[in-house]
Amino acid sequence: GENVGLHLPTLSVQEGDNSIINCAYSNSASDYFIWYKQESGKGPQFIIDIRSNMDKRQGQRVTVLLNKTVKHLSLQIAATQPGDSAVYFCAETRLSGYSTLTFGKGTMLLVSP
Amino acid sequence: DAGVTQSPTHLIKTRGQQVTLRCSPKSGHDTVSWYQQALGQGPQFIFQYYEEEERQRGNFPDRFSGHQFPNYSSELNVNALLLGDSALYLCASSLRDRNQPQHFGDGTRLSIL
């Protein structure tokens, strides 16, 4: 499949490490945030979301933190596995109206066995 | 439960030609959005369809047009193709009245020669 990760920031970790991927969003009016994972040759896959009335949300092995003061999101992946290797995008939107997604620049995560 | 499906998966065209890409939303979804993803970039919003009408549009020229059918499926049309239109075109679906994330297909890779 095509390489979606050209020219993206890259985070390299060892299997079993915890990974933290950061994202700055642009619109202070955004109230819904989503992390997507995109593997080579695939479309973005939903990982976890968070609304602006929360500052932390946990899923299975993943945690999203939201800091509205500085317009910053982070995705924490616990016990990172080789299958987690992909490009990760954060996306922002508003819950009201016809919501469209604005994506961040993306980070490539490389997990070594 | 079928997810978002797009066709074709790959397409090669020459400058000046026209192209039509197709999308079937996830079962139960009524809203379709289209995105363009250049290599190494995040997806960029093109437009969104709901109830067979274009509801939102991103910063794309009129050469980009679309349609939504009564069964919620959608088409993206691009006229007078330029080399810069080479990209991965992603379709995402969602349910209008539910605050849930958009689900993406695996895209159509369009190459312009």
Side-chain angles (χ1 to χ4, degrees):
Chain A
E2 75 281 354
N3 184 351
V4 299
L6 286 178
H7 311 303
L8 289 172
T10 300
L11 174 64
S12 296
V13 301
Q14 294 287 324
E15 182 178 3
D17 287 351
N18 296 330
S19 302
I20 299 176
I21 300 172
N22 296 303
C23 174
Y25 65 92
S26 58
N27 189 349
S28 56
S30 295
D31 55 10
Y32 183 45
F33 305 90
I34 308 163
W35 279 100
Y36 285 96
K37 171 187 179 183
Q38 188 172 24
E39 296 174 284
S40 184
K42 300 285 190 180
Q45 176 189 359
F46 169 80
I47 303 173
I48 192 168
D49 57 359
I50 189 168
R51 300 184 185 190
S52 59
N53 61 352
M54 304 173 69
D55 53 20
K56 180 179 180 179
R57 189 162 190 229
Q58 289 183 292
Q60 186 176 16
R61 283 201 308 118
V62 295
T63 300
V64 55
L65 299 178
L66 173 62
N67 184 330
K68 295 181 288 294
T69 302
V70 295
K71 294 191 288 187
H72 183 269
L73 276 168
S74 68
L75 176 69
Q76 302 176 0
I77 305 174
T80 314
Q81 302 168 359
D84 295 327
S85 293
V87 177
Y88 289 79
F89 292 99
C90 67
E92 60 181 297
T93 187
R94 297 196 66 180
L95 287 170
S96 60
Y98 294 97
S99 62
T100 65
L101 296 173
T102 300
F103 283 80
K105 294 186 185 300
T107 297
M108 174 174 278
L109 176 65
L110 296 176
V111 183
S112 303
Chain B
D1 180 18
V4 179
T5 58
Q6 293 186 242
S7 63
T9 55
H10 294 84
L11 203 50
I12 299 174
K13 292 285 188 178
T14 57
R15 282 179 296 174
Q17 285 190 311
Q18 177 267 341
V19 68
T20 297
L21 311 181
R22 295 176 175 81
C23 171
S24 292
K26 179 179 169 67
S27 178
H29 285 183
D30 57 10
T31 302
V32 172
S33 302
W34 287 92
Y35 295 80
Q36 181 194 65
Q37 185 176 26
L39 212 56
Q41 303 289 324
Q44 297 291 313
F45 172 72
I46 304 175
F47 43 53
Q48 182 180 85
Y49 278 84
Y50 172 71
E51 290 187 334
E52 303 178 50
E53 290 191 16
E54 182 182 295
R55 300 293 179 171
Q56 291 274 14
R57 189 178 183 92
N59 188 25
F60 280 80
D62 292 345
R63 298 186 298 109
F64 289 77
S65 63
H67 191 79
Q68 185 180 34
F69 299 93
N71 67 353
Y72 308 117
S73 67
S74 177
E75 289 181 350
L76 164 65
N77 302 292
V78 187
N79 295 322
L81 286 166
L82 303 173
L83 292 178
D85 295 332
S86 294
L88 180 67
Y89 288 85
L90 294 162
C91 172
S93 72
S94 55
L95 188 56
R96 168 80 175 93
D97 292 330
R98 293 287 186 271
N99 295 326
Q100 293 177 351
Q102 295 181 16
H103 291 255
F104 284 82
D106 287 336
T108 294
R109 167 60 66 184
L110 176 63
S111 299
I112 311 301
L113 303 180

